[in-house]
Amino acid sequence: MVARLNPWPDLVLVDENVMRSAQEFLESRGIACARTTDRLYEGAPDSAVMSAASALGAAVLTHDRDFKTLWVKRHKFPNVAGLIWLSTNETQEARRRLEDAFSVIDSEFERARTVRLPPFIEIRSRSLIIHR
């Protein structure tokens, strides 16, 4: 059996509002992550996070609803590899919901390689929405 290549981007920028346990889960699955506070600075504006992600060809993992608005303007950030918005009621719930949604997220990054359209995945407390 031939192992499938990891479809995720080379890096996921994890916004400062995301609990470390969510990042640790991704890293346990072989996904390279970096905190926005490590690449930028604490309190960096969301547009700066998106600009950094675009410069790095990275995806963004966030708990901040403002990124949804920035995604609509993604032509300003042409190389962002995707957006995962943890739109859960509680930040503590983020890791569990990320674990539950992992196979779908994985499939969406795989699909993005074919259609050349980065995924925007909204993970809610009781549902998962793929914005296309």
Side-chain angles (χ1 to χ4, degrees), residues 5 7 23 29 32-33 35 38 50-51 53 60-61 63 73 105 116-117 126 128 130 132:
L5 293 175
Q23 176 179 343
R29 300 299 296 252
C33 297
R35 306 277 311 170
D38 295 336
M50 288 291 279
S51 291
V60 175
L61 174 65
H63 202 282
K73 302 173 186 177
I105 299 168
R116 306 256 187 250
L117 182 64
R126 300 185 191 277
L128 178 72
I130 310 298
R132 293 191 178 129

Side-chain angles (χ1 to χ4, degrees), residues 27-44:
E27 290 171 337
S28 76
R29 300 299 296 252
I31 310 302
C33 297
R35 306 277 311 170
T36 56
T37 51
D38 295 336
R39 295 294 175 123
L40 297 164
Y41 52 90
E42 191 171 332

Side-chain angles (χ1 to χ4, degrees), residues 43-92:
D46 299 338
S47 58
V49 173
M50 288 291 279
S51 291
S54 186
L56 296 164
V60 175
L61 174 65
T62 187
H63 202 282
D64 185 342
R65 78 178 65 240
D66 294 337
F67 280 86
K68 185 173 184 177
T69 303
L70 288 172
W71 188 257
V72 173
K73 302 173 186 177
R74 70 179 172 270
H75 63 278
K76 295 181 179 183
F77 315 103
N79 297 317
V80 173
L83 176 63
I84 303 167
W85 175 30
L86 296 166
S87 173
T88 56
N89 293 332
E90 299 292 329
T91 55
Q92 295 85 354

